[in-house]
């Protein structure tokens, strides 16, 4: 990894980034970031208070008029420079992301960091394409056109599973559209969000356009969402917390964007390529140690393939290499914390009472025992209404269930409160096409599961929330649409006035 920066030196001034400066929080309470692979302390910092949130919002509010008035080309140029800065610092970002999350360095270097750079480059281009409807004379006597305008200060909350990418998904469309932002990352994993804000300053973005407050949700988060000068809230996290965010946001009539939990089905029809489906299931269920809202969690396999699928997935899972996240050979790192590992283990242990743990289902011994590691786990024989099938586990656990008819498979895939992502596996284009139409999810892959691209939207149905990240569709969240109408007649007494007063002319 070359010359790694020292985290304690980099953030010696604190873990709040307000108006272009790192500063210490003023809550009087501290938090320690822990390396989940080793249990060692990484950084202790002071948490944000409500006063820190107020300061960040005030900085964003001051910066808004000038940034909103910048031309699309100027904002685009700034984001192109930001993409270049991120590329220059890619190694540091990958190191910090793996350090705070425990994700394998190959995932950080080949997925998280390049994905974020690509998102930045995409929004640099998209900033020039904030287009409205074409001007026309729809009434005959008037010319109408549509403006897209920045809305103001955005207050966003990002989760701990993809700290860098989620920070980018919140910040980039907001500022590309001319807004300013205050982002609250998870207190467990704030490092790369802070580095992203610093990179924005290095790229020449004005102070106050991007601000970071690092505090706990019930204090800093709730105050940010409810702040009277925040006009929009974007939240990614659990459905339970999303409901609380919605309560606070709607009380102050804010625009709201929610990307919440998921329980993605992985639907394998009997004509699928078994080897492709098995490899896909392992990769899609274990990405980021299963801590991914779109991860494959429920594999429904048509009965003729079911047993062979279970056997092959178990065989492949047993080849997965757990280890030091900074070893390039490591496939699977720890969960984000010991508390999260124990939560996942609890689901599996309870499942032993009503299902079969085919492989995995345990905490590794030896040198990995000090970290928050959990073995890749495959469960079969669970009922559709069981906890392990219906609840979001957020760990390296895949449950496999059989189905008979295509109707049953699609019905089972939809039988969950969530609707974020899904996949269908078949060689039959009509079968796959039906699945893409009838599965209620914001993204349905065919013969693959997980890939995302900057040009396409990400967001869910049902209890997985509403609104879109990435793509030009994200501007629907971060812009006001204004209709402008010009009279073309220069007539003082118009015919329609008679419906209010006077007689027809």
């Amino acid at each position: 990894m070359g010359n790694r920066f020292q985290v304690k030196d980099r953030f010696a001034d604190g873990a709040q980034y307000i108006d272009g400066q790192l500063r210490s929080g003023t809550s009087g309470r501290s938090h320690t970031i822990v390396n989940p692979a080793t249990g060692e302390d990484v950084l202790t910092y002071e948490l944000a208070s409500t006063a820190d949130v107020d300061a960040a919002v005030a900085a964003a509010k001051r910066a808004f008029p000038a940034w909103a008035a910048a031309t699309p080309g100027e904002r685009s140029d700034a984001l192109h420079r930001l993409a270049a800065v991120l590329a220059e610092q890619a190694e540091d970002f990958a190191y910090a992301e793996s350090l705070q999350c425990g994700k394998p360095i190959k995932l950080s270097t080949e997925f998280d960091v390049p994905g974020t750079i690509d998102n930045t480059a995409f929004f640099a281009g998209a900033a020039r394409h904030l287009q409205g409807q074409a001007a026309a004379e729809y009434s005959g006597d008037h010319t109408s056109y549509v403006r897209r305008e920045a809305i103001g200060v955005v207050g966003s909350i990002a989760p701990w599973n993809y700290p860098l990418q989620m920070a980018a998904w919140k910040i980039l469309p907001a500022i590309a559209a001319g807004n300013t932002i205050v982002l609250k990352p998870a207190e467990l994993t704030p490092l790369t969000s802070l580095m992203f804000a610093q990179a924005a300053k290095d790229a020449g973005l004005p102070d106050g356009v991007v601000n970071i407050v690092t505090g706990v949700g019930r204090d800093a988060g709730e105050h940010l969402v409810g702040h009277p000068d925040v006009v929009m809230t974007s939240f990614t996290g659990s459905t339970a917390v999303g409901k609380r965010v919605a309560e606070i946001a709607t009380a102050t009539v804010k625009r709201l964007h929610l990307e919440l939990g998921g329980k993605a089905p992985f639907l394998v029809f009997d004509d699928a390529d078994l080897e492709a489906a098995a490899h896909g299931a392992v990769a899609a269920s274990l990405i980021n140690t299963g801590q991914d809202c779109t991860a494959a969690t429920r594999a429904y396999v048509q009965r003729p393939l079911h047993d062979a699928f279970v056997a092959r997935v178990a065989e492949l899972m047993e080849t997965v290499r757990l280890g030091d996240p900074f070893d390039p050979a490591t496939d699977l790192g720890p969960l984000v914390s010991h508390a999260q590992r124990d939560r996942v283990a609890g689901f599996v242990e309870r499942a032993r009472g009503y299902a079969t743990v085919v492989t995995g289902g345990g905490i590794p011994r030896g040198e990995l025992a000090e970290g928050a590691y959990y073995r890749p786990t495959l469960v079969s024989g669970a009922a559709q209404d069981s906890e392990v099938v219906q609840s979001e586990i957020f760990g390296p656990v895949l449950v496999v269930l059989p189905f008979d008819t295509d109707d049953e498979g699609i019905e089972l895939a939809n039988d969950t409160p969530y609707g974020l992502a899904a996949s269908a596996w078949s060689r039959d284009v009509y079968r796959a096409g039906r699945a893409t139409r009838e599965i209620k999810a914001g993204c349905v892959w065919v013969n693959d599961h997980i890939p995302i691209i900057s040009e396409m939207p990400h967001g869910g149905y049902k209890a997985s929330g509403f609104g879109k990240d990435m793509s030009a569709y994200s501007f629907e969240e971060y812009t006001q649409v204004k209709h402008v109408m010009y009279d073309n007649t220069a007539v003082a007494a118009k015919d329609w006035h008679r419906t209010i007063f006077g007689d027809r002319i």
Side-chain angles (χ1 to χ4, degrees):
M1 290 300 295
N3 297 316
R4 298 170 177 170
F5 68 87
Q6 296 298 311
V7 171
K8 293 178 181 177
D9 293 339
R10 178 74 174 261
F11 299 104
D13 293 330
Q16 317 300 325
Y17 190 82
I18 300 172
D19 208 11
Q21 299 291 330
L22 282 173
R23 63 174 75 174
S24 184
T26 61
S27 68
R29 290 177 292 121
S30 62
H31 180 82
T32 299
I33 300 169
V34 175
N35 179 346
T38 63
E40 296 173 349
D41 293 351
V42 173
L43 176 71
T44 298
Y45 66 92
E46 296 299 313
L47 291 160
S49 67
T50 56
D52 298 321
V53 174
D54 289 341
V57 173
K61 186 177 180 180
R62 286 192 300 271
F64 173 70
W67 183 247
T71 67
E74 289 168 340
R75 291 198 295 269
S76 176
D77 288 346
L79 291 178
H80 278 300
R81 294 194 301 269
L82 175 56
V85 172
L86 295 173
E88 291 169 1
Q89 299 177 10
E91 189 174 286
D92 285 350
F93 273 98
Y95 168 70
E97 193 77 338
S98 288
L99 184 67
Q100 65 182 352
C101 299
K103 62 181 65 187
I105 195 64
K106 67 178 181 179
L107 184 65
S108 295
T109 56
E110 297 178 33
F111 182 71
D112 297 74
V113 174
T116 300
I117 295 168
D118 187 70
N119 286 169
T120 307
F122 170 81
F123 279 107
R128 290 180 176 263
H129 296 282
L130 280 171
Q131 298 173 343
Q133 192 171 1
E137 288 67 49
Y138 295 97
S139 77
D141 290 337
H142 306 81
T143 296
S144 288
Y145 67 88
V146 170
R147 290 175 55 88
R148 282 193 177 275
E149 297 180 348
I151 58 177
V153 178
V154 178
S156 293
I157 299 176
W160 48 257
N161 57 332
Y162 289 101
L164 176 59
Q165 289 206 80
M166 294 297 100
W169 286 14
K170 303 300 183 194
I171 293 169
L172 291 169
I175 66 174
N179 304 292
T180 56
I181 189 167
V182 179
L183 175 77
K184 192 199 87 65
E187 63 270 22
L188 290 174
T189 56
L191 299 180
T192 46
S193 299
L194 292 162
M195 292 167 63
F196 190 93
Q198 291 177 305
K201 180 167 184 172
D202 292 344
L205 273 75
D207 292 346
V209 172
V210 179
N211 305 273
I212 309 292
V213 289
T214 306
V216 296
R218 65 180 176 274
D219 297 328
E222 293 199 1
H223 190 65
L224 177 62
V225 173
H227 199 290
D229 290 333
V230 170
V231 298
M232 175 188 165
T233 290
S234 177
F235 170 80
T236 297
S238 71
T239 298
V241 178
K243 291 177 180 178
R244 175 61 180 156
V245 169
E247 289 174 1
I248 300 169
T250 53
T252 50
V253 199
K254 286 179 171 50
R255 184 175 296 197
L256 183 61
H257 169 211
L258 297 174
E259 199 267 88
L260 306 177
K263 190 71 176 174
F266 188 98
L267 187 61
V268 183
F269 293 102
D270 58 13
D271 67 334
D273 181 325
L274 177 62
E275 194 68 7
H279 277 83
V282 173
S285 63
L286 300 185
I287 184 172
N288 203 32
T289 318
Q291 299 167 126
D292 187 312
C293 295
T294 64
T297 60
R298 300 177 292 136
Y300 296 102
V301 184
Q302 208 149 24
R303 205 170 295 274
L305 288 186
H306 177 270
D307 291 352
F309 178 88
V310 170
R312 185 61 175 138
V313 169
E315 184 179 35
L316 290 171
M317 278 190 170
E318 287 164 6
T319 69
V320 172
R321 298 163 297 188
L322 281 70
D324 176 4
F326 292 104
D327 183 344
T330 293
D331 296 322
L332 196 74
L335 290 128
V336 74
S337 67
H338 287 78
Q340 179 65 13
R341 180 201 66 188
D342 293 346
R343 178 180 179 277
V344 171
F347 275 101
V348 176
E349 291 310 305
R350 292 189 295 274
R352 292 184 191 277
Y354 56 80
T356 300
V357 177
V358 180
T359 189
I363 298 168
R365 298 179 179 178
E367 60 183 18
L368 298 184
E370 296 300 316
Y373 290 88
Y374 196 77
R375 294 194 181 282
T377 301
L378 182 65
V379 177
S380 68
Q384 174 66 14
D385 62 356
S386 62
E387 177 191 53
V388 77
V389 174
Q390 292 293 328
S391 298
E392 188 174 29
I393 299 172
F394 231 53
V397 180
L398 177 65
V399 184
V400 184
L401 298 89
F403 70 93
D404 291 304
T405 67
D406 290 13
D407 288 349
E408 181 190 10
I410 291 173
E411 181 181 357
L412 290 169
N414 284 328
D415 183 26
T416 174
Y418 301 107
L420 186 58
S423 63
W425 297 73
S426 173
R427 290 185 174 95
D428 186 324
V429 65
Y430 299 104
R431 226 174 185 182
R434 179 191 176 192
T436 65
R437 293 190 301 273
E438 296 186 13
I439 293 176
K440 304 304 180 186
C443 175
V444 181
W445 292 281
V446 176
N447 295 327
D448 208 343
H449 192 119
I450 283 298
I452 54 175
I453 49 176
S454 298
E455 291 83 358
M456 289 291 112
H458 176 86
Y461 285 27
K462 303 189 292 186
S464 292
F466 48 82
K468 299 300 179 185
D469 289 311
M470 299 196 299
S471 81
Y473 290 96
S474 65
F475 287 131
E476 301 292 337
E477 319 299 323
Y478 294 98
T479 55
Q480 292 278 17
V481 173
K482 177 186 287 184
H483 169 218
V484 178
M485 180 180 259
Y486 282 93
D487 171 59
N488 292 330
T489 67
V491 174
K494 296 177 172 61
D495 186 54
W496 74 265
H497 291 174
R498 72 178 180 82
T499 62
I500 312 301
F501 72 101
D503 298 322
R504 180 182 293 275
I505 299 169

